[in-house]
Amino acid sequence: MVTALWVRAKYALSVFRFKPFDITTQEGRSRERYRRVLFATLTSAFAKIIITLIGLISVPLTVNYLGAERFGLWMTVTSLTALISFADLGIGNGLINAVAEASGRDDHVGVRH
């Protein structure tokens, strides 16, 4: 089990580079996919760390500036606004499914509709 993890770690480090791989071969396409997944994962983790740090810094500053009561009101309004933006009642997922189905049938008119 340890050797399998070591092999995977070595492979992950082998695709960690800034220059893209040659995608004319199957091995190159595979390595390029792994390289892109690795960079997307690292970028996402970095963004989450930054967002967490900003939250840890901005909340105490905002509480001190607004006071507890106004801060509570501000958080309520902000949370409701965020909730409404996420509550699309499944329209986004339904649209993705309809477009994917029409695209799979090569129905370009259906994709546009």
Side-chain angles (χ1 to χ4, degrees):
M1 179 173 169
V2 174
T3 56
L5 289 173
W6 177 251
V7 169
R8 285 187 180 188
K10 260 176 75 171
Y11 186 75
L13 288 175
S14 74
V15 297
F16 184 72
R17 67 181 199 171
F18 291 109
K19 183 179 175 186
F21 286 98
D22 179 26
I23 58 171
T24 58
T25 65
Q26 182 142 356
E27 177 67 24
R29 284 190 298 274
S30 173
R31 287 182 171 266
E32 181 62 17
R33 276 192 304 272
Y34 280 115
R35 186 183 76 84
R36 289 181 182 189
V37 166
L38 179 66
F39 278 122
T41 303
L42 291 175
T43 304
S44 176
F46 181 71
K48 287 181 191 248
I49 290 169
I50 294 297
I51 288 170
T52 303
L53 289 175
I54 288 172
L56 289 173
I57 293 170
S58 67
V59 170
L61 290 174
T62 309
V63 169
N64 287 336
Y65 181 73
L66 294 177
E69 186 175 315
R70 287 184 181 160
F71 178 75
L73 180 63
W74 178 69
M75 283 305 296
T76 302
V77 170
T78 305
S79 298
L80 286 175
T81 305
L83 181 65
I84 289 171
S85 71
F86 285 122
D88 68 349
L89 304 175
I91 294 171
N93 287 334
L95 181 63
I96 289 171
N97 290 337
V99 168
E101 183 180 341
S103 178
R105 290 190 317 252
D106 288 331
D107 180 14
H108 300 290
V109 175
V111 170
R112 280 189 232 127
H113 282 100

